[in-house]
Amino acid sequence: MRNEQRSLFFNVDWLLILIYVALCMIGWFNIRAAVFDPEHTSLFDTHTRYGSQFIFLIVAFVVGTVILLLESRFLSALAPTFYVATVLLLILVLVIGRNVGGNQAWIDIGGGFRLQPSEFAKYSTCLLLARYLSGVNIKVTEIKSFLIAGGIILLPMLLILKQPDAGSTLVFCSLIFVLYREGLSPLFLIIFGLLAVLFVLSLLVVNQWYLIAGIMTAGLLLIWFVKRNRALALWVLLGTLLSVGFVFVIRPLYTHGLQSHQRERIDLVLGLTNDTKHVGYNQNQSKIAIGSGGMWGKGYLQGTQTKYSFVPEQSTDFIFCTVGEEWGFAGSIVVIGLFLFLLLRIIHVAERQRSPFSRIYGYGVASVIFFHFFINIAMTVGFMPVIGIPLPLISYGGSSLLSFTILIFTLIKLDSNRMGIV
Amino acid sequence: MNSFFARRYVVTIIFVVIALVLLARLFYLQIVDEKYILLAKNNVVRTRIVFPARGPIKDRNGIVLVENQPVYDIMVTPKQVKPFDTLALCDLLGIDMKGFRLRLANAKIKNGVTRATVFEGQLSGALYASLQERLYEFPGFDVQLRSVRSYPDSIAAHFLGYTDEVKNYDIEKHGGYYHPGDYIGRTGVESSYEEALRGQRGVQNLMVDNKGIPKGRFANGAYDTAAVAGEQLISSLDSRIQKLGEHLMQNKVGSIVAIEPSSGEILAFVSTPGYNPNLMVGRNHGNHYMDIQNSPNHRLMIRPIQATYPPGSSFKPLSALIALQEGVITKQTTYLCPGRYLANNGKPKCTHVHGLVNLSSAIAESCNGYFAMVYEKLINARGAKATATSLDYWASNVNKFGLGVKLGVDLNGEKRGRVPTSKLYNKFYPNGQWRSKTILSNAIGQGEVEATMLQLANVECAIANRGFFYTPHLIKAIGDKKVIKPEFTVKHDVGVDAQYFEQVILGMQQVVDYGTARASKIPGIIMCGKTGTAQNSDHSGKNHSVFVAFAPRDTPKIAIAVIVENSGDGGTYAAPIASFMVEQYLRGKITPRDAGPGFSVDYYSGLNLMPQPKVKAPVKPLSPKDSIKQKLIDSAAMKQRAPKSPANRSKPITIAMLPKKEDRK
């Protein structure tokens, strides 16, 4: 028993834990700044958000420690149970959930605390996806396996979209990195990227015929280059035609398929509309907060944008404003550097696993964190439309902190056992 | 490890590239683009201007002439307005619901929803008191204290002037010192001492939150500046005689200027018809201003410095002094007056046959013939061919007394009047066909000589001082340190030796003792004066009654010039008014006069001498063989040109002369 404990202590990836703790503390300090009120300066007052967050942090550390003490085999074995449980919770939340800010995403669990099942769905989906893909003779390249894997991802997506929480739904898209790593054709990534570019272009270019002419020209040039390879040329031709078709359908789809506030937010980022008062208020104030930070920032608790409530949601989704305003570009480098370090470390850890389950799960964790990190910061700097997803470990919120803690510590646990058999 | 191991690098590269893209964007926002620093500051910093109290103005005895009265502006911050009993507020302010909504909408347009805008301006203290108790019921409304000018005695409007909201051209002219909504001295002392009175504005940089609620000082007040109150001005005015002067001059057109000869300090500065300075303040000052401007007789005009008149006979002592100094006459020079000036076809005439007159009796009886003789001697002193040189020399001597030049009084808009030179007559008579006789009217203060009452009072100062004067001024001390402007302590020599004055002063004493102003003799005070009857350019109008004087003779304390337009002889109106002013100043009260009980302040203040609406006489074209006629043509032409637009209202009245009526005094 003592032997096992010592091995656990030596085998955990302390670097990951260090980055995790660093991000948590940065988050806590910035939540304090975001909700700072000169009249209430107590650090641990649970009526304030930094007081609550302190409790969440303790809970998270306890949960993390508990996960480290669990049997690794247990996690893999329970993956389907977790998955089913979260799916049930996602259904339940649609029935008895509490509606906060337009999303029916919360279940009251008493004591003034609420549970957000969608946060935990990310975890259980990652686990089940890892469990399924690590199975014998399962290959993503095969159509059946691909469809089942896709189904595992799609089911919680659809349920969350029903809430409707577009941000959390999109997070599941990031799992395409996992599939890619496990052998999915790079064509999917390319198509994904191409569709995104076409989407933006078709909204930006007023006259669609110019865009279509451009696509045709590019397609024909490509065909001319690869004319020796008949099959490839045919694929390119097909792609070109599909692109043209996509351009035709995207406008009506955009106009009718999206809700008006989503459309407005996208228009804003693309510069199609210019508004700083209503729809664009948040993002404009967010940019002002970050942009006014300069190189070294205004100093801790000195951010005027933050302190005087010019940025809404500044302790949750727009927490990065506080970092940018009070710590400046230097602070931005530190936070982004830590996230990149975390992501690369997770990939490193994932790749050193002997068991495919651990590796696939590790990629799942990296994908989810990456997506949150990218979309959240891009949103605060005006690169992405406003989507309500938190910055991992930094934004205020118990469910979010807990789910990321579970995600990361499960990986640490799996990693500490990498020499053993899962 | 499996066959797709290399794909980790693709994923890694994607992560790194995205992180770098975000960093690049942040670099642009935080380092490159500096507009956000300004935008954040604009969000949070509200600059509040702290208005300094404008300096008060007191009279020479410390009596307040202008002070500041608090008024209250109701401010509204639209974002903080929550539903409340709007009807109650409307009732308090005396506005209706429509007006309420309109004001609120205007405030939003003007300053946005988070800034405080004036909702209703300049409420009285009484209204504020009733509002203050209930202010908590009206969220988003606040009161801002301001001060406006108040004139406790409502006197000396022209002297003090008024303040007014700055116009765009003021803002441009003063290089950004003023902001819209600021007040600036527009006329009078308020204008000429603007820089001392206005003080220094203070600035507070407040930080507000997203609802516009103040949260404290920006940068702990490091960029704040304190307001410095304006300087107090001690004016030279004596409000007691100023009040008496305004009382005497009611229902008359004209002006009074009284100066202390030993210092040049202006003791009284009356311009009638005037206006109540308190009307230029408050919520309705714009309407009052238009009313005053549109009423007849140029009520806004500062007559003592802006209206020029021929001085008439009041000019004679000056003529005598210059002639004495030049040596063309002596104290003993006499003239046998046959009732006219024989040397020029009997022009000018005298009122009656004076017989043999000497210098002093010529002054006392205002003998035109004597002074025509004196003038001819002066102009012909260098021979007929040097008329121009002699005239110019004479003019320069007159200039030394402050006529025909700006005295440099501390008021804007001073007129220089006119002392004719050869240049003027060469213009009238291009062939140089003018001689001493052509311009003889100048001898008796008619013709082309024109002066303001300030200049005439100043001449009396020079005579009272026996040869010098100080620049007349309105403000004797600036600020707590009682600074006096250095230019007001410079003695101006008039170029006539002291010895020549006594004979002239004797004549002026006789004017009051038994001459043309004998009715105005003050028991126990030796006043030296000279009446004048300035001929009116208008055929139908009466002459202007002029009187200049100083007293007491040996230790002069006051010099005075009075004009009552279109009233008659100098001795009839101007002299009595001057005598009351002088006595009040010297004695502090007015004693019964020898002339009888009817000769009283009440009688003269009760007189209505306002000119009747004039009927314009047809203007006949006159040939310019006489300089005076030429002047008439000029003035008639000018009259026709001058439209009755407000822009021309404040122009000085130029009173042209006719040679037909002779000067009698």
Side-chain angles (χ1 to χ4, degrees), chain B residues 53-68:
Chain B
R54 201 172 167 86
I57 305 175
K58 296 178 175 172
D59 89 338
R60 63 189 299 114
N61 301 315
I63 294 167
V64 174
L65 297 171
V66 189
E67 60 191 0
N68 296 313

Side-chain angles (χ1 to χ4, degrees), chain A residues 180 184 285 305 332 381, chain B residues 2 7-8 25 30 43 210:
Chain A
Y180 169 71
L184 186 70
Q285 291 298 341
Q305 286 286 105
S332 306
V381 297
Chain B
N2 62 17
R7 289 195 174 182
R8 70 174 289 189
R25 171 65 170 171
Q30 299 187 292
N43 257 347
N210 62 331

